[in-house]
Amino acid sequence: METHGESTINICFARSFASKASKKETHKQSETKKDVSTVEDPFDAPTYNIPEKPVTFTEGASYSIIILAGLAVAAAAAYAVFKELIFEPKEYKIFNKALKRIQDDSQVRVRIGSPITGYGQESRNRAARQRIPNRIFTDEDGVEHVQINFYIRGPHGAGKVSAEMFKDKVDKQWKYTYLIVEVMQPSRSQLILESYMPAPVAT
């Protein structure tokens, strides 16, 4: 009976020791998992910790060339606009003068109506309509002349204009050699709005 009692006590002690050892092992494994989970994953680090790649000399030069090219294009466009507004070509200056003279003339308004518009050529192409056929020359006296041809249109008709102006050497003003309007619609007629008669030479 004593042997049986001792055997029973030993079994209980072994079970108790095994249980405690199992709990201790489980606790140790849990702590190990916690330690593993708290280790920072280097791949999850914020991107701002990654150092930026330095810009090489070649890349910097390429960016500079692109910027300079853009500035050059902008400057060229600005110069073209400035040149067109400030330094108006002679043929367009004469065209504007002649068109204004025609628009103010009662004979033309009666025949084709008002408002009157002017354009370079009978075409649907905008560039062609804006281009004024012209001839610029200097005579034997050194006087500059500009000849132009263009079309006009009003609500009731249309016509064709021939004009020539020269730059007076004395007052440096542009003056008409002639300004002729050929009305084509609604009925044909010719109007001589300006005709230059030079002053007689004293003898």
Side-chain angles (χ1 to χ4, degrees), residues 40 42-50:
E40 184 176 359
F43 294 101
D44 291 337
T47 56
Y48 56 75
N49 289 331
I50 301 174

Side-chain angles (χ1 to χ4, degrees), residues 91-92 95 119-120 128-134 148-150:
E91 62 270 24
Y92 287 100
F95 166 77
Y119 48 94
R129 290 173 67 87
Q130 291 179 340
R131 192 179 304 115
I132 306 299
N134 67 91
I148 60 171
N149 296 292
F150 63 94

Side-chain angles (χ1 to χ4, degrees), residues 188-203:
R188 286 187 170 272
S189 62
Q190 186 182 80
L191 302 172
I192 301 176
L193 303 186
E194 297 285 350
S195 180
Y196 175 72
M197 296 297 292
V201 179
T203 57

Side-chain angles (χ1 to χ4, degrees), residues 9-190:
I9 291 171
N10 290 335
I11 292 172
C12 290
F13 177 78
R15 287 178 179 176
S16 176
F17 178 80
S19 177
K20 289 180 180 180
S22 176
K23 288 180 180 181
K24 186 179 292 186
E25 183 67 23
T26 301
H27 181 69
K28 185 176 182 181
Q29 289 178 356
S30 178
E31 288 182 349
T32 303
K33 288 181 179 180
K34 287 181 180 180
D35 292 340
V36 171
S37 63
T38 56
V39 175
E40 184 176 359
D41 188 350
F43 294 101
D44 291 337
T47 56
Y48 56 75
N49 289 331
I50 301 174
E52 295 183 1
K53 181 182 177 181
V55 178
T56 63
F57 174 79
T58 303
E59 291 176 339
S62 301
Y63 295 149
S64 299
I65 292 172
I66 293 172
I67 293 172
L68 290 175
L71 291 175
V73 171
Y79 175 75
V81 173
F82 177 79
K83 184 178 179 181
E84 184 174 350
L85 293 177
I86 305 302
F87 304 104
E88 186 179 35
K90 295 184 179 79
E91 62 270 24
Y92 287 100
K93 184 178 293 185
I94 303 307
F95 166 77
N96 290 329
K97 286 180 177 292
L99 181 60
K100 180 66 168 60
R101 173 67 177 82
I102 292 167
Q103 290 171 334
D104 292 340
D105 192 275
S106 58
Q107 300 178 81
V108 181
R109 291 202 305 266
V110 166
R111 286 168 172 78
I112 67 173
S114 183
I116 299 171
T117 58
Y119 48 94
Q121 300 180 39
E122 292 280 13
S123 173
R124 294 181 180 274
N125 186 284
R126 184 177 179 183
R129 290 173 67 87
Q130 291 179 340
R131 192 179 304 115
I132 306 299
N134 67 91
R135 175 173 174 256
I136 301 175
F137 65 96
T138 302
D139 63 19
E140 62 274 9
D141 296 324
V143 178
E144 186 177 24
H145 294 251
V146 178
Q147 294 176 343
I148 60 171
N149 296 292
F150 63 94
Y151 293 87
I152 57 172
R153 183 170 296 277
H156 309 306
K160 186 176 181 180
V161 178
S162 299
E164 180 181 319
M165 297 188 78
F166 66 94
K167 193 169 188 178
D168 195 295
K169 279 188 170 184
V170 178
D171 58 12
K172 306 299 182 183
Q173 298 297 315
W174 286 97
K175 297 180 179 180
Y176 287 101
T177 304
Y178 59 82
L179 176 59
I180 302 171
V181 177
E182 294 181 16
V183 179
M184 298 182 292
Q185 297 174 1
S187 59
R188 286 187 170 272
S189 62
Q190 186 182 80

